């Protein structure tokens, strides 16, 4: 596979987990608290844009209305999912599968092109951590102030800063839990219940559980989720190759590192461009040093890129000592243009092709979706019965699921078996977004049954939705069998 | 309640369960000992000349969660049936949970049924909500025998016509559903006489409803009908108090024609409608009864 046969992975000696070095270490370690320094710049702007985009959608969707109902509502009790103009039944589960496949291929595609983009910019864990960090900064200040406050003895100031932060965190957590439940219980009903504290038992559970999970994950566990819990974090590295854009420190430009004045020519002192200010480590939300190369903790948030570019500007050096680059690009000293040419490689094209196909299939299938569904179930109690004058009668149950939000009228007719006729009421109504079992009796005259002979004969039911109002006519055909007894 | 064939198994499984829980904790204690580390934070193990193992300890919260799972496991076998045949302190059973869920569902529907129970069949038959409930109850509980279209089949009465074995009032229908019915036609061959007599009797019965028959044989059989008249009435018009079918109409529950009648007279028939009062609540029986009543009274919503 690789072009150079002996690849040496440099292992930088990390400090021992705990205890005295060389003596031994626990196989379990306490979480080291990380104090990420605030950062501004291009990628920070992108991340905040993603925070706004995702959270306006998440917190806002339940409040939208659509034809006198909540626009997006997952009604588990009635087993109906309402998404704007769509009403989905349990039988439409295939769309969920398609959605998950689309999400998976999007992840493959992004990851192959630019590493853990999802992790760094739009994963809820990242987004909520960003929000909670912002709150923390409002109450406790930036990195240094927070470290000092944690080290300081308890005082009134420490109490109100910490207390205010906790109150805000808990508030955001509860609001998040409330919003989640608002997708399953109509949010306006839930809002009313909130004032009288009269949630149902499951509503209480989910509001509190999801709220607590938000508070715990974004407030305390933070990078631990990505490092130890998240399965995607582990297997995304399987989608990397040498042309994947990853946050990289350019050692050939940066080394040997060292501090120097702004007026000094580093080349004259035999130094690289890295001034060893340590800011890239201070801003890192996972507490790693990107200058040791790519590590599995890195979530590609590019905070170190932003902060290093600021430093480079101050020093009047060229930007991009830490940048998004590929392994090939770094080792071959390619410009960014040359690097980007490699984006359209076979793997990316295959991912995009499959993704496009599934997306087109998904949209077309939704657009052509029949406004109602029919299942034909033969009665099992009696296969067939003889009625007056020797005619043979079979009974069927049609389950008709109306996927629209208005009461609809339907009419059943037969096809594929000459002489068969429906001997029960053939037209009926099904209420809005409801399913109804409608019994249908089919008779075949004595003579026809004799000429058909004993056994099962194919028959087709044609169910027609009658046009009314803006709903046009629609037809569904379902196959079944007609049994003639011996 | 033990479902092992001897108590030894129960003890064995209990020991294995508790042993596994203890072993999980023991494993954690053994594995989390301090182990000597080399100066560079590696374990000192080397493979393939240059591959070394870096000490990369698990987070402490992970260990806490591990202990919590063991605690939860212990709590589970204490509270629920987990240790062999012990019932657990909550005395939980799947049947008990089923009944609790059923009770919860019935309580939730009680208000709906309370409104319907007070209404007569004529009113309920026009109520789309009640008929919807009735339709679903019918499909789930009755359609297996009486057919989805309620027209029955051989041996199972048609519920959509106006011919009722026990009377077609809502009260009679509700009693049929709740308590069930046992229709008993005893074998009458001995009381009727020879097989010729039985044949003649069959033709007489056919003649009662004006069905195709041999008039001479029917005349011969007329006298033999005295044995039948006790239940079916002198004119063969049936008796709802006994559930004796009307022989003078064209409804043939157990088959039409001479052979079917001869067979019933010779062998008799015990036909059972099972009782449903243990499966359905009084409210459900009321609404279901009204739905069945509506089938033979041409309501607009039913098939």
């Amino acid at each position: 596979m690789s072009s150079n046969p002996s690849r040496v992975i440099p292992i930088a000696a990390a400090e021992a987990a705990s205890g005295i070095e060389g003596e031994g270490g626990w196989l379990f370690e306490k979480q080291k608290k990380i104090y990420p320094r605030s950062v501004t710049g291009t990628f920070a702007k992108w991340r905040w844009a993603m925070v706004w985009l995702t959270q306006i959608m998440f917190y806002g969707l339940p409040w939208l209305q659509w034809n006198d109902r909540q626009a997006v509502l997952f009604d588990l009790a009635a087993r109906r999912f309402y998404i704007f103009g769509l009403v989905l039944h349990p039988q439409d589960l295939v769309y969920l599968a398609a959605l998950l496949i689309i999400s998976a291929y999007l992840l493959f595609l992004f990851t192959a092109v630019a590493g853990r983009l999802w992790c760094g910019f739009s994963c809820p864990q990242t987004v909520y951590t960003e929000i909670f960090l912002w709150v923390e900064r409002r109450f406790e200040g930036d990195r240094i102030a927070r470290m000092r406050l944690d080290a300081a003895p308890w005082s009134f100031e420490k109490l109100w800063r910490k207390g205010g932060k906790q109150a805000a965190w808990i508030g955001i957590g509860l609001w998040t839990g409330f919003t989640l439940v608002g997708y399953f219980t109509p949010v306006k009903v839930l809002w009313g219940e909130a004032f009288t504290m009269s949630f149902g038992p499951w509503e209480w559970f989910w509001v509190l559980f999801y709220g607590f999970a938000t508070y715990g994950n974004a407030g305390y566990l933070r990078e631990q989720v990505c490092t130890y819990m998240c399965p995607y974090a582990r297997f995304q590295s399987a989608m990397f190759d040498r042309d994947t854009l990853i946050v990289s420190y350019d050692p050939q430009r940066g080394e040997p590192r060292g501090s120097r004045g702004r007026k000094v020519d580093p080349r004259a002192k035999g130094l690289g461009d890295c001034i060893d200010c340590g800011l890239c480590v201070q801003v890192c939300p996972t507490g790693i040093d990107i200058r040791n190369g790519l590590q599995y903790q890195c979530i590609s948030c590019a905070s170190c890129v932003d902060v290093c570019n600021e430093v480079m500007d101050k020093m009047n050096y060229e930007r991009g000592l830490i940048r998004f680059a590929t392994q090939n690009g770094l080792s071959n000293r390619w410009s960014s243009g040359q690097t980007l040419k490699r984006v359209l490689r076979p793997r990316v094209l295959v991912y995009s092709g499959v993704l496009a196909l599934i997306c087109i299939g998904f949209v077309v299938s939704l657009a052509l979706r029949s406004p109602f569904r029919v299942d034909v179930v033969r009665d099992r109690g009696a296969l067939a019965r003889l009625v007056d004058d020797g005619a043979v009668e079979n009974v069927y149950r049609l389950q008709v699921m109306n996927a629209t939000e208005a009461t609809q009228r339907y009419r059943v007719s037969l096809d594929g078996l000459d002489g068969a006729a429906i001997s029960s009421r053939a037209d009926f109504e099904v209420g809005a977004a409801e399913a109804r079992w409608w019994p249908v009796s089919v008779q075949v005259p004595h003579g026809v049954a004799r000429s058909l002979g004993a056994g099962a004969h194919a028959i087709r039911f044609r169910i027609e939705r009658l046009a009314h109002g803006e709903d046009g006519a629609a037809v569904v055909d379902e196959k079944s069998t007609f049994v003639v007894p011996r | 309640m033990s479902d092992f064939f001897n108590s030894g198994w129960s003890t064995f499984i209990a020991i294995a369960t508790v042993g596994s829980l203890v072993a999980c904790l023991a494993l954690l204690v053994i594995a989390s000992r301090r182990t000597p580390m080399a100066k560079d934070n590696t374990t000192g193990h080397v493979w393939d000349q240059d591959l070394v193992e870096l000490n990369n300890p698990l987070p402490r919260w992970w260990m806490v969660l591990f202990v919590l799972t063991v605690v939860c496991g212990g709590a589970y076998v204490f509270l629920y049936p987990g240790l062999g045949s012990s019932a657990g302190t909550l005395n939980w059973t799947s049947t008990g949970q089923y009944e609790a869920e059923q009770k919860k569902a019935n309580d939730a529907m009680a208000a709906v049924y309370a409104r319907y129970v007070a209404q007569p069949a004529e009113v309920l038959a026009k109520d789309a909500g009640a008929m919807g409930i009735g339709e679903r109850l019918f499909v789930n509980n009755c359609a297996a025998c009486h057919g989805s279209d309620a027209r029955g089949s051989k041996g199972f009465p048609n519920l959509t016509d106006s011919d009722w074995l026990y009377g077609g009032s809502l009260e009679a229908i509700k009693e049929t559903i709740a308590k069930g019915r046992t229709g008993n036609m005893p074998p009458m061959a001995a009381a009727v006489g020879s097989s010729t007599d039985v044949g003649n009797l069959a033709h007489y019965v056919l003649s009662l409803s004006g069905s195709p028959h041999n008039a001479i044989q029917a005349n011969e059989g007329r006298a033999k009908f005295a044995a039948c008249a006790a239940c079916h009435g002198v004119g063969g018009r049936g008796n709802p108090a006994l559930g004796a079918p009307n022989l003078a109409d064209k409804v043939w529950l157990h088959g039409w024609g001479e052979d079917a009648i001869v067979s019933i007279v010779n062998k008799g028939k015990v036909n059972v409608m099972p009782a449903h009062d243990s499966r359905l609540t009084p409210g459900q029986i009321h609404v279901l009864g009204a739905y069945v009543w509506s089938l033979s009274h041409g309501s607009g919503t039913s098939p």
Side-chain angles (χ1 to χ4, degrees), chain A residues 379-382 385 395 397 439, chain B residues 135-153 156 159 288:
Chain A
D379 251 27
R380 288 171 305 212
R385 62 182 174 221
V395 181
R397 241 188 265 168
Chain B
E135 187 178 277
R136 288 185 283 276
L137 283 171
F138 186 89
V139 162
N140 287 332
N141 295 285
C142 318
C145 297
H146 291 282
S148 293
D149 60 353
R151 292 193 217 174
S153 63
F156 301 100
L159 307 177
L288 178 55

Side-chain angles (χ1 to χ4, degrees), chain B:
Chain B
M1 187 204 81
S2 168
D3 37 17
F4 297 104
F5 50 83
N6 70 41
S7 60
W9 280 113
S10 169
T11 314
F12 169 75
I13 285 168
I15 290 170
T17 309
V18 174
S20 306
L21 285 175
V22 173
C24 285
L25 279 180
L27 181 74
L28 187 72
V29 171
I30 293 165
S32 60
R33 281 199 322 262
R34 290 165 81 87
T35 48
M37 290 290 165
K39 281 263 187 292
D40 57 358
N41 196 28
T42 62
T43 56
H45 306 159
V46 180
W47 295 270
D48 293 353
Q49 289 92 40
D50 62 348
L51 195 59
V52 289
E53 185 180 28
L54 192 67
N55 172 31
N56 205 359
L58 276 168
R60 194 175 57 176
W61 56 256
W62 185 92
M63 186 172 69
V64 174
L65 285 182
F66 185 97
V67 174
L68 267 180
T69 57
V70 176
V71 171
C72 286
Y76 177 85
V77 294
F78 178 75
L79 294 170
Y80 288 95
L83 286 181
S85 55
S86 101
T89 54
L90 289 183
N91 280 322
W92 179 94
T93 60
S94 53
T95 315
Q97 182 171 0
Y98 166 71
E99 281 163 356
E101 296 278 342
Q102 212 176 20
K103 188 179 175 314
K104 208 164 72 177
N106 286 339
D107 290 349
M109 288 296 291
V112 177
Y113 284 117
R115 196 162 50 83
Y116 290 145
V117 164
Q119 296 175 337
E122 291 82 355
V123 177
L124 284 181
K126 292 187 178 67
D127 185 321
M131 287 302 97
I133 294 174
E135 187 178 277
R136 288 185 283 276
L137 283 171
F138 186 89
V139 162
N140 287 332
N141 295 285
C142 318
C145 297
H146 291 282
S148 293
D149 60 353
R151 292 193 217 174
S153 63
K154 193 177 169 186
F156 301 100
N158 181 344
L159 307 177
T160 63
D161 59 17
S162 52
D163 181 43
W164 293 94
L165 294 172
Y166 296 91
S169 68
L170 178 58
E171 269 51 53
I173 294 171
K174 276 169 66 177
E175 192 183 335
T176 304
I177 296 169
K179 301 287 175 220
R181 301 282 188 187
T182 306
N184 186 358
M185 161 88 188
M188 298 296 284
V192 174
S194 68
S195 63
T196 317
D197 294 335
V198 175
N200 292 342
L201 176 63
H203 280 275
Y204 175 71
V205 171
L206 285 170
S207 76
L208 290 176
S209 53
S211 303
H213 62 281
N214 180 323
I216 297 161
Q217 278 184 288
N219 246 334
E220 292 289 317
R222 181 190 297 272
K224 299 291 174 194
F225 193 76
C228 317
C231 297
H232 292 279
V234 177
R237 300 212 168 272
N239 181 353
L242 298 172
N246 181 354
L247 306 178
D249 61 13
K250 297 222 175 190
V251 178
W252 299 99
L253 181 57
H254 300 289
W256 172 85
E258 185 189 352
D259 295 347
I261 297 171
V262 168
S263 158
I264 286 282
V265 171
N266 285 337
K267 296 179 192 159
K269 178 107 189 176
V270 177
N271 211 24
V272 176
M273 156 88 190
H276 284 75
D277 53 0
S278 60
R279 298 190 49 182
L280 301 173
T281 64
Q284 287 174 317
I285 290 172
H286 184 83
V287 174
L288 178 55
Y291 173 77
V292 172
W293 182 91
S294 78
L295 292 176
S296 53
H297 289 76
S299 94
T301 57
S302 56

Side-chain angles (χ1 to χ4, degrees), chain A residues 126-197:
Chain A
T126 302
V127 165
Y128 286 112
T129 300
E130 195 74 16
I131 295 170
F132 274 51
L133 262 169
W134 180 84
V135 169
E136 197 164 54
R137 274 201 297 276
R138 292 278 87 63
F139 280 102
E140 299 182 11
D142 204 2
R143 173 181 156 90
I144 308 290
R146 290 207 301 273
M147 288 165 106
R148 285 209 191 106
L149 190 70
D150 277 3
W154 279 101
S155 63
F156 177 70
E157 193 201 15
K158 183 166 176 173
L159 191 69
W160 80 255
R161 287 186 185 279
K162 290 269 174 196
K165 175 184 83 171
Q166 290 293 338
W169 278 6
I170 291 168
I172 297 172
L174 285 175
W175 185 242
T176 310
F178 170 85
T179 304
L180 176 88
V181 177
Y183 279 89
F184 298 90
T185 303
V187 78
K188 297 203 163 131
V189 174
L190 206 64
W191 184 240
E193 286 175 354
F195 280 104
T196 53
M197 300 297 261

